[in-house]
Amino acid sequence: MFGDYEAQRHWMEITTHLPISQWYFYDLQWWGLDYPPLTAYHSWICGKIGTLINPFWFELYTSRGNQDANLKIFMRATVILSEYLVFIPAVVMFVRRYSRLNGMSNWTASVAFVAITMQPGTILIDHIHFQYNTVMLGFVAASMSSMIAGRFFWASVFFVAALGFKQMALYYALPVFFFLLGSCLFPRINITRFLSIVVGTLAASAVLLLPLIAGALYDEGRGISAKPGVEARDEHLPILQWIEDYVPANAFYWPVIQQLVQVVHRVFPFARGLFEDKVANFWCAINVVIKLRNYPSELLQKASLAATLAFSLPPNLILFFKPKRELLPLAFATTAWAFFLFSFQVHEKSVLLPLMPMTLLLAGNNGLGKSTRAWVGFANILGSWTMFPLLQRVELRVPYAVFTLLWAYLLGLPPTSLNAYFGDGTNSFAQWGTFLVHAAFYVAMAAWHIVEAFFPPPENKPDLWTVANVGIGAAGFVICYLWCLYHLVVASQILPSSVSAKKKTQ
């Protein structure tokens, strides 16, 4: 009945009215808090501000399902303000540093910045669908920017903040780890750099968890239970129950263990299944042919882990042995595509994670050139298209069309222009190959919209059009993964053939 808007509003409700020890336990059936602590703190701040404006917006329990128009304006304002406080400054710094690293002009960097901040998928999901993904993405961009600047302590701090805001930042964990580790080992071992990374990670993690830990101990001292009416020892831990065999029943730190285990349980909901709803990744696409629900959940989790590692390790091994700053966006994008396509519990909105670093390529070497612009544009338009079934549920057909077509027009992309493929007097095989591949998908997307709008699906297959969306989207995203991986290999010069190829182009 209610969606992400009510979830975000409800979290502001519970964080402003309940003791901190109860945040992750309260009425989990009604949009229970399932994001990391930094999101909870952010909800608390927004809720406190909103309560000053209208206390009825976030009254405990009685405010559920509140559809006040002014509340929606306030919620959307918190999204935009949060974005301008975190995402915009981070992208400004990244574009400035990355464009200088690649010898790009200020004008090119400015155009790239506008294109990055106007990503249609990000605007549609965050500004209109009441999400705060740009906060997490902003912390990731800040971490990448710090890596480019050689500030490894702050790179660690910002990435911990990203993980602390949304667990989806794990899509980037491998490239962060391998780049930082590789930077400590190559071209020579740097102990000081390694220690700064360790200190930054531990300090940021401590600051992130301190309010939760202190709150749990404080509430326990006041006799406040995390689950009112239930004694701490009357109920087993939801996961990691072996801990109970080693912790005394009267241990003063038991509330802390209970709190941290509950956070992990809520943040990583393995019980929900391999994928959520209809999402354009490998598992959902193959589910059309092989019904995955017939297989044990444990087996699917292992298969997901194996596939994710298999497709994410190649780009990260490259980044480890060749920790070049120029490779960061490609490595982040390739890994995020692997996670989106093969990892566990993927949501439609998760496509924003590979799209962000891939779009950052616009600020790099030849970023606004035809090839990069065509592929970045293709990925973004395809990503927005795969989210259309989600967007139309909340009546966002018109904003979807406006923002997607506007972005395509500004970058000279189909269906408004073929400038990204032709027009410079050359008709190479690569240009034609790219055009034909992209054209097939653009035609399929347009045809799908016509069919979906005017022809209802068969009664015995009500999800037919959505399943078609999944299949087309998954195929396109696999191609995007391969494109990113190929260009990462070439740019890294890790293979002799890529070195010679680069010399020929010079």
Side-chain angles (χ1 to χ4, degrees):
M1 182 177 179
F2 299 102
D4 291 322
Y5 161 76
E6 173 58 19
Q8 299 291 343
R9 190 214 60 78
H10 180 60
W11 296 346
M12 297 178 191
E13 168 195 338
I14 62 176
T15 54
T16 53
H17 286 88
L18 297 177
I20 192 170
S21 62
Q22 296 179 4
W23 288 0
Y24 284 92
F25 292 89
Y26 179 76
D27 197 2
L28 301 180
Q29 298 304 312
W30 184 272
W31 303 106
L33 183 58
D34 57 2
Y35 276 7
L38 194 54
T39 284
Y41 308 150
H42 176 264
S43 297
W44 178 79
I45 294 173
C46 293
K48 285 293 185 181
I49 296 173
T51 300
L52 295 176
I53 300 173
N54 188 337
F56 297 104
W57 287 346
F58 305 110
E59 281 191 337
L60 189 62
Y61 192 79
T62 58
S63 63
R64 290 185 177 184
N66 192 320
Q67 297 291 315
D68 185 352
N70 290 327
L71 173 57
K72 291 184 178 181
I73 293 173
F74 169 78
M75 295 279 289
R76 189 163 285 126
T78 62
V79 171
I80 296 174
L81 179 61
S82 299
E83 177 176 311
Y84 271 83
L85 289 175
V86 180
F87 183 71
I88 298 299
V91 172
V92 168
M93 293 307 300
F94 176 88
V95 169
R96 180 181 299 174
R97 289 169 175 167
Y98 193 63
S99 60
R100 288 177 180 174
L101 179 66
N102 288 276
M104 307 304 293
S105 67
N106 290 335
W107 171 254
T108 301
S110 299
V111 174
F113 169 76
V114 173
I116 293 166
T117 54
M118 288 190 65
Q119 276 182 275
T122 303
I123 293 176
L124 288 166
I125 292 298
D126 273 31
H127 292 199
I128 303 176
H129 205 252
F130 300 104
Q131 291 283 309
Y132 298 90
N133 293 297
T134 49
V135 176
M136 178 269 293
L137 294 174
F139 284 131
V140 173
S143 180
M144 296 172 68
S145 177
S146 299
M147 293 178 197
I148 292 174
R151 299 174 180 175
F152 298 97
F153 173 87
W154 288 108
S156 306
V157 170
F158 285 129
F159 188 68
V160 170
L163 282 173
F165 196 83
K166 286 202 173 188
Q167 60 269 38
M168 291 188 300
L170 281 171
Y171 280 39
Y172 307 121
L174 287 179
V176 170
F177 172 79
F178 279 103
F179 177 81
L180 294 180
L181 182 60
S183 298
C184 294
L185 298 178
F186 304 106
R188 59 184 179 276
I189 297 176
N190 192 323
I191 299 297
T192 303
R193 179 176 296 172
F194 176 77
L195 291 177
S196 71
I197 293 170
V198 171
V199 171
T201 302
L202 294 178
S205 300
V207 171
L208 176 69
L209 296 174
L210 182 60
L212 206 63
I213 294 173
L217 293 174
Y218 177 73
D219 290 343
E220 178 70 13
R222 294 194 301 162
I224 299 176
S225 173
K227 299 184 70 174
V230 179
E231 291 296 328
R233 275 296 186 174
D234 288 346
E235 192 171 45
H236 292 292
L237 295 173
I239 57 174
L240 306 177
Q241 295 179 358
W242 55 267
I243 295 177
E244 299 175 3
D245 298 330
Y246 299 93
V247 179
N250 58 348
F252 76 92
Y253 53 87
W254 172 256
V256 175
I257 294 176
Q258 182 188 40
Q259 193 70 222
L260 296 180
V261 170
Q262 180 69 5
V263 171
V264 173
H265 173 60
R266 293 295 299 161
V267 169
F268 300 104
F270 290 109
R272 289 187 184 177
L274 192 57
F275 51 84
E276 188 168 327
D277 212 347
K278 300 291 190 299
V279 55
N281 75 346
F282 172 80
W283 302 113
C284 194
I286 200 175
N287 187 63
V288 177
V289 181
I290 303 174
K291 298 304 177 184
L292 299 178
R293 63 175 177 270
N294 296 330
Y295 295 87
S297 178
E298 294 78 9
L299 176 62
L300 295 177
Q301 291 177 21
K302 293 178 181 178
S304 172
L305 176 62
T308 304
L309 289 177
F311 285 91
S312 60
L313 278 179
N316 287 287
L317 290 177
I318 292 174
L319 196 61
F320 173 70
F321 290 108
K322 297 283 187 176
K324 299 179 180 179
R325 296 172 294 172
E326 297 89 341
L327 304 180
L328 284 172
L330 278 171
F332 272 63
T334 309
T335 306
W337 280 125
F339 270 75
F340 177 79
L341 287 167
F342 300 104
S343 65
F344 199 87
Q345 245 305 292
V346 176
H347 194 282
E348 301 103 310
K349 299 187 290 287
S350 301
V351 74
L352 297 178
L353 279 85
L355 289 179
M356 191 275 286
M358 191 171 179
T359 308
L360 293 179
L361 291 171
L362 295 174
N365 185 28
N366 201 31
L368 294 179
K370 294 184 181 298
S371 177
T372 302
R373 185 157 46 92
W375 279 98
V376 170
F378 168 73
N380 274 276
I381 292 175
L382 182 64
S384 297
W385 179 76
T386 59
M387 290 188 288
F388 180 80
L390 171 68
L391 298 171
Q392 72 168 344
R393 295 177 205 162
V394 286
E395 301 179 357
L396 294 180
R397 287 175 176 266
V398 173
Y400 159 81
V402 171
F403 283 112
T404 304
L405 292 176
L406 176 62
W407 201 75
Y409 171 76
L410 293 176
L411 289 181
L413 301 169
T416 62
S417 172
L418 298 179
N419 176 266
Y421 301 94
F422 306 108
D424 60 355
T426 61
N427 292 308
S428 67
F429 175 79
Q431 277 183 312
W432 274 102
T434 299
F435 170 72
L436 292 175
V437 170
H438 289 185
F441 280 92
Y442 283 126
V443 170
M445 286 187 275
W448 183 90
H449 273 303
I450 294 173
V451 171
E452 184 273 337
F454 297 103
F455 301 95
E459 292 184 3
N460 61 337
K461 293 182 175 62
D463 295 328
L464 181 60
W465 304 151
T466 304
V467 171
N469 180 290
V470 166
I472 296 170
F477 293 149
V478 169
I479 295 174
C480 290
Y481 165 84
L482 294 174
W483 182 86
C484 290
L485 180 60
Y486 169 76
H487 282 270
L488 177 62
V489 171
V490 172
S492 67
Q493 303 182 31
I494 200 166
L495 298 178
S497 58
S498 64
V499 175
S500 60
K502 188 167 185 177
K503 288 182 178 179
K504 288 181 181 179
T505 59
Q506 293 175 347

